[in-house]
């Protein structure tokens, strides 16, 4: 298994931890995969079922996901592919210098509550997690003219993930809602870039780093 950090800052710090199980056949069924994802405790773990065609399976500690942003960016970078294939279907990939980009559609993302706050300080001051139920993406403009956003993500589900350091799916939904390219700083300092496409699709990009073996 490889451990990556996805959506790292420019200096390589931060990013969201991702486990990638290269030999998915070692965990042949959903129960064994879910058990490993729960044991590892990452916000997501990816199982590679076909490294040449990019067939992958994504799990949180408590759920199987048809689509997720940072696992697909990380898997695409690690496998060096032009497409990856999660359960939602084919996802196009491109490399641009230090950034890996995937093209996705807003309807692929699980529901999120996108809540705008008046200032960055209000977002930074939120407890982890804030009161309430359901997935919350809290955000504020850091520089609206430049498309710079400060955000934090809170799953608010009983799986041990109190705050999601960098979530591409929520960034996808926010980009669709605002209709413009964004430069998002999430969590402790992770960076997510987005860009709307002409057909309603959205590109999500970020840096990926390989962590030393565990």
């Amino acid at each position: 298994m490889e451990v990556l950090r996805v959506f790292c800052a420019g200096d390589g710090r931060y990013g969201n931890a991702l486990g990638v199980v290269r030999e998915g056949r070692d965990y042949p069924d959903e129960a064994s995969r879910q058990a490993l994802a729960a044991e590892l405790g990452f916000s997501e773990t990816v199982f590679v079922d076909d490294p040449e065609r990019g067939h992958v399976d994504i799990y949180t500690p408590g759920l199987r996901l048809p689509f997720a942003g940072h696992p697909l960016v990380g898997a695409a970078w690690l496998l060096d592919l032009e497409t990856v294939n999660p359960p939602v279907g084919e996802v196009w990939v491109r490399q641009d210098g230090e950034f890996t980009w995937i093209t996705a559609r807003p309807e692929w993302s699980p529901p999120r509550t996108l809540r705008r706050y008046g200032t960055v300080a209000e977002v930074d001051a939120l407890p982890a997690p804030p009161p309430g139920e359901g997935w919350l993406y809290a955000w504020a403009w850091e520089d609206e003219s430049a498309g710079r956003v400060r955000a934090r993500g809170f799953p608010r589900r009983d799986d041990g993930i109190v705050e999601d350091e960098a979530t591409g799916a929520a960034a996808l939904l926010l980009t669709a809602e605002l209709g413009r390219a964004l430069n998002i700083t999430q969590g402790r300092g992770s960076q997510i870039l987005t860009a709307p496409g002409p057909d309603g699709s959205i590109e999500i990009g970020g840096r990926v780093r390989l962590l030393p073996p565990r």
Side-chain angles (χ1 to χ4, degrees):
M1 188 186 73
E2 309 281 6
V3 181
L4 312 178
R5 287 203 172 271
V6 184
F7 299 132
C8 297
D11 60 5
R13 294 188 298 162
Y14 309 118
N16 205 355
L18 173 69
V20 181
V21 180
R22 284 186 175 268
E23 295 290 341
R25 60 188 177 184
D26 291 344
Y27 298 86
D29 54 39
E30 187 170 339
S32 62
R33 294 181 177 194
Q34 190 66 78
L36 180 63
E39 178 185 343
L40 294 172
F42 299 131
S43 57
E44 277 97 8
T45 298
V46 172
F47 296 82
V48 180
D49 290 318
D50 187 331
E52 295 182 358
R53 295 179 176 85
H55 289 284
V56 295
D57 202 12
I58 307 166
Y59 289 78
T60 74
L63 297 169
R64 182 175 186 248
L65 299 178
F67 168 83
H70 99 270
L72 295 178
V73 170
W77 176 86
L78 184 66
L79 300 174
D80 191 24
L81 296 173
E82 294 183 355
T83 61
V84 286
N85 287 273
V88 293
E90 189 173 61
V91 175
W92 288 93
V93 179
R94 70 179 176 92
Q95 305 292 337
D96 180 15
E98 62 181 330
F99 291 93
T100 298
W101 295 80
I102 62 169
T103 299
R105 303 198 64 83
E107 56 266 29
W108 293 349
S109 177
R112 302 279 193 270
T113 297
L114 308 177
R115 184 171 299 158
R116 179 179 175 180
Y117 288 79
T119 66
V120 169
E122 290 179 71
V123 174
D124 288 338
L126 289 172
E133 297 181 357
W135 227 109
L136 174 67
Y137 199 59
W139 70 278
W141 286 114
E142 188 174 356
D143 183 339
E144 186 171 358
S145 63
R148 291 172 54 197
V149 167
R150 172 71 176 116
R152 294 173 67 192
F154 304 100
R156 295 196 296 197
R157 61 191 180 214
D158 188 22
D159 64 0
I161 306 299
V162 175
E163 181 169 352
D164 202 329
E165 174 63 25
T167 170
L172 173 71
L173 291 176
L174 184 61
T175 303
E177 181 175 287
L178 298 176
R180 59 180 294 185
L182 300 175
N183 183 342
I184 301 169
T185 299
Q186 188 183 327
R188 297 172 301 153
S190 303
Q191 184 181 26
I192 306 170
L193 302 181
T194 67
D199 60 350
S201 66
I202 293 171
E203 280 197 305
I204 308 166
R207 303 176 188 86
V208 184
R209 299 289 184 271
L210 178 66
L211 296 184
R214 291 170 60 132

